[in-house]
Amino acid sequence: MQETLEDIKSFEGQVDFKTGAECTGLLCFLQSFNFLLTAHIFKRVFDLIEPVSRALQAHNIDILMAIELIKKTGKNIKCLRSSEMFFNIYESVRKFAKDNNFEFELTLPTRRHRRVPRQPGELSNDEQINDPVMAYKVNTYFVIIDKVSSELHKSNMKNKNIPVDAFSSICNNYNKILNKEDFVREYEQLIKSNINLISLDKNVSVVLNALSDESDSSSSNNSVVQNESIDDSQSILKTYQIFINKGLLNIFPNLFSVLKIGVTLPISSASPERTFSKLKLIKTRLRSTMIQDRLEDLMIISCESNIKTNTDKIIDNFAMRSSVLTKALTY
């Protein structure tokens, strides 16, 4: 980006003075310590949030794993809100700026201090921050961390925690298909039977890499939880698969119904958005007369492309529909 701005400044800036002045201003801003420090702070925050954002868009995540992910991310974000973490970032940015011949001192505009009259009941005047580093920490760094923590807290409050009497809550919402007494009885039977529901297949796990890009000595002293992993062996989806594979759906039908409800609860709007994107690719202007059944079949093939299918078996089943297809498709 800096090379591009330099080229524009050298070629077009001599003719268009406004463009040259804008390029000069952008170059000075990009090389300023204020910009470098803010960029490094946002990189730290994005390193924590990006894995969670990707995990929440996955098709195999359920409500329990989503709540756990958001809680752990909020915990890691709160660990960033400390003077020690700020000065660690500050020193690493100073070193980076010095190595790349950038400005490596924080400069903030000096403002005239206003004398605010003391209101009735106040015992002291407002404290004036003269140090630019402390002013940046209080007015910028802490504000960024507090805003991100607040948004994560709002997301967690939307999902809420599991109610104390979860049996009554879910049975009241789905009273047409669930009976509380049968549900509680099946749950007690499952607990007393000591059935091991821990799946042997642990290939899929959601890993939260926190601050993985920083390996300097200062990062080893911070309290941010790094490389935390959430085992999905006891997630709703994993338990649902175990119920099907072990044949428990006929033994605990009410529990299986609850698992189906939990699996189908949407965590985000990523899947519907991807579906509509596929729809635009399939039903184009040249395919405007496509019938509904064909469109649905093509949508399923496109959206569920990760499901493995036996192509030979599909061709054999299709060939059995008529003698003409049998001659054409079989050898």
Side-chain angles (χ1 to χ4, degrees):
M1 184 182 295
Q2 292 181 8
E3 293 178 358
T4 303
L5 289 174
E6 290 285 357
D7 293 339
I8 295 174
K9 177 183 175 182
S10 59
F11 291 106
E12 299 184 12
Q14 299 177 359
V15 180
D16 190 350
F17 295 102
K18 182 179 179 181
T19 302
E22 290 178 352
C23 291
T24 303
L26 287 173
L27 285 171
C28 294
F29 175 72
L30 292 177
Q31 295 177 358
S32 65
F33 189 81
N34 298 26
F35 174 79
L36 293 176
L37 182 58
T38 305
H40 275 71
I41 291 172
F42 274 106
K43 185 180 184 303
R44 287 289 187 99
V45 174
F46 290 154
D47 286 341
L48 293 175
I49 294 179
E50 183 188 10
V52 183
S53 177
R54 291 181 179 275
L56 292 177
Q57 297 178 32
H59 68 280
N60 59 346
I61 192 171
D62 54 55
I63 186 69
L64 296 181
M65 293 179 64
I67 293 175
E68 189 68 16
L69 271 174
I70 293 175
K71 284 183 179 179
K72 287 187 177 293
T73 306
K75 178 182 176 182
N76 289 337
I77 291 293
K78 288 181 180 178
C79 289
L80 291 177
R81 198 188 188 284
S82 64
S83 299
E84 181 183 0
M85 286 298 303
F86 171 74
F87 285 110
N88 286 341
I89 298 174
Y90 180 78
E91 291 300 327
S92 64
V93 175
R94 286 193 73 222
K95 183 176 182 300
F96 174 82
K98 192 173 183 180
D99 295 340
N100 292 273
N101 297 324
F102 290 159
E103 175 189 344
F104 54 90
E105 290 297 336
L106 187 62
T107 56
L108 294 176
T110 304
R111 296 184 177 89
R112 182 177 63 86
H113 297 307
R114 292 189 306 166
R115 296 188 60 184
V116 181
R118 185 184 301 178
Q119 300 297 326
E122 292 185 350
L123 301 179
S124 61
N125 294 325
D126 294 337
E127 181 182 357
Q128 300 291 341
I129 303 177
N130 298 323
D131 186 6
V133 178
M134 296 300 296
Y136 185 92
K137 183 186 74 171
V138 173
N139 299 326
T140 303
Y141 179 73
F142 283 167
V143 172
I144 293 173
I145 303 301
D146 291 341
K147 182 64 177 176
V148 176
S149 299
S150 176
E151 292 299 324
L152 286 174
H153 181 69
K154 288 180 182 178
S155 301
N156 195 24
M157 288 302 294
K158 288 180 181 179
N159 295 322
K160 298 182 180 179
N161 295 324
I162 299 175
V164 177
D165 190 359
F167 297 103
S168 298
S169 178
I170 193 169
C171 290
N172 290 334
N173 291 328
Y174 301 96
N175 52 9
K176 293 184 179 180
I177 60 176
L178 293 177
N179 182 276
K180 182 181 177 181
E181 296 179 358
D182 295 337
F183 183 26
V184 174
R185 176 175 50 80
E186 291 180 8
Y187 178 77
E188 291 176 350
Q189 290 177 354
L190 179 65
I191 298 300
K192 293 178 181 179
S193 62
N194 294 324
I195 298 177
N196 186 12
L197 293 180
I198 304 298
S199 176
L200 297 178
D201 184 12
K202 294 184 179 181
N203 293 330
V204 182
S205 62
V206 180
V207 179
L208 180 61
N209 295 317
L211 303 177
S212 59
D213 61 304
E214 296 291 339
S215 58
D216 55 332
S217 58
S218 61
S219 63
S220 61
N221 298 325
N222 63 62
S223 58
V224 176
V225 181
Q226 297 193 9
N227 296 330
E228 286 196 50
S229 61
I230 298 178
D231 188 6
D232 69 333
S233 60
Q234 292 181 325
S235 66
I236 298 178
L237 181 60
K238 221 45 156 174
T239 308
Y240 176 79
Q241 294 173 350
I242 295 170
F243 262 63
I244 295 177
N245 296 332
K246 301 294 183 180
L248 299 177
L249 63 163
N250 296 324
I251 304 175
F252 307 106
N254 287 279
L255 279 176
F256 185 69
S257 299
V258 174
L259 290 174
K260 285 197 294 185
I261 294 171
V263 168
T264 55
L265 286 176
I267 305 302
S268 64
S269 60
S271 296
E273 290 174 358
R274 292 194 187 105
T275 303
F276 280 106
S277 299
K278 291 288 186 180
L279 179 62
K280 293 180 181 179
L281 296 175
I282 293 173
K283 191 171 183 179
T284 60
R285 181 175 60 84
L286 300 177
R287 294 176 177 174
S288 58
T289 59
M290 185 187 305
I291 60 175
Q292 185 69 22
D293 293 340
R294 178 177 173 80
L295 177 61
E296 291 178 357
D297 294 339
L298 292 176
M299 286 289 295
I300 293 174
I301 293 173
S302 179
C303 294
E304 306 295 340
S305 58
N306 59 328
I307 298 177
K308 296 180 180 180
T309 57
N310 190 340
T311 308
D312 295 334
K313 187 176 180 180
I314 294 174
I315 294 175
D316 293 339
N317 291 334
F318 185 68
M320 292 173 59
R321 297 195 175 196
S322 68
S323 59
V324 178
L325 291 174
T326 303
K327 293 179 181 180
L329 297 176
T330 58
Y331 298 95

